[in-house]
Amino acid sequence: GGVESLRAIPWTFAWAQTRMHLSAWLGVGAGLSSGTEEDKRVLREMYEEWPWFREIISLISMLVSKTDFSITKNYDELLVDPSLMSLGDEVRNKLVETRQAVIDVSGTQDIGGPHIQLMRASSTIRNPYVDSINVVQAELLRVLRSMPEDDSPDLTPELQKVKNTRIDALLLSIKGIAQGMKNSG
């Protein structure tokens, strides 16, 4: 089916795999940055005085800090129809807007929030491995998309074996990225 058949968990999981985390932050930047100077003052006051609002901003900050433009752009370049490439740029621009809005509301210059030092240390160790898995995953997806469908007469037994091996590798990449990112979305 089309987009109407999507469900929340696989949708969120897919965006986490591509390191965009779209479902966690899309619309937040527009919501936090629209309005008057008085609105901005109220948002800042809410951040200072309302623990639940501060926690929401902190969680969005953490997820935004886990995004990676180079990884998401690689998925776009390998898997997205060229006529739709501008959509990826638009989404990344909205991410920049969201980062700025979170910084403005929180009054900090560090998007990672209060746990940034721990996240940086963890990312320094983890990212070289997870980044490589992301690159392999995007390539596997590209190659699998080019292979014949399972019911195609072009899918010979030898090619089916190759396809199955690539599907197994794709499943391992999904598990590796979820483990490496310490969340699944």
Side-chain angles (χ1 to χ4, degrees), residues 26-145:
L26 187 63
V28 172
L32 293 177
S33 60
S34 62
T36 64
E37 288 303 314
E38 175 63 12
D39 292 337
K40 292 176 184 177
R41 186 195 64 73
V42 169
L43 286 170
R44 182 79 179 118
E45 183 178 311
M46 289 169 59
Y47 181 81
E48 294 293 331
E49 297 180 14
W50 297 7
W52 65 267
F53 185 72
R54 185 173 41 255
E55 185 61 25
I56 289 170
I57 297 298
S58 177
L59 287 171
I60 292 167
S61 177
M62 182 266 301
L63 281 165
V64 167
S65 72
K66 286 186 169 188
T67 60
D68 188 315
F69 276 24
S70 64
I71 296 293
T72 63
K73 192 155 181 60
N74 184 56
Y75 281 94
D76 286 359
E77 289 169 355
L78 290 177
L79 302 169
V80 174
D81 184 294
S83 67
L84 300 173
M85 291 295 282
S86 63
L87 182 58
D89 294 333
E90 183 180 337
V91 168
R92 282 184 286 279
N93 287 338
K94 289 186 183 302
L95 177 59
V96 170
E97 176 186 318
T98 299
R99 283 181 176 170
Q100 189 57 55
V102 167
I103 287 169
D104 292 345
V105 168
S106 66
T108 182
Q109 292 304 310
D110 217 335
I111 191 65
H115 310 292
I116 190 65
Q117 295 304 325
L118 179 59
M119 284 176 48
R120 278 195 185 132
S122 179
S123 294
T124 300
I125 295 166
R126 168 182 77 228
N127 281 3
Y129 302 102
V130 180
D131 292 355
S132 300
I133 299 171
N134 277 112
V135 171
V136 169
Q137 182 184 74
E139 181 62 21
L140 284 165
L141 286 166
R142 185 190 67 75
V143 170
L144 283 166
R145 285 182 177 181

Side-chain angles (χ1 to χ4, degrees), residues 6-42:
L6 289 174
R7 297 295 175 249
I9 292 171
W11 171 258
T12 300
F13 186 78
W15 285 113
Q17 286 282 301
T18 63
R19 308 269 278 280
M20 183 54 88
H21 303 282
L22 182 81
S23 58
W25 60 262
L26 187 63
V28 172
L32 293 177
S33 60
S34 62
T36 64
E37 288 303 314
E38 175 63 12
D39 292 337
K40 292 176 184 177
R41 186 195 64 73
V42 169

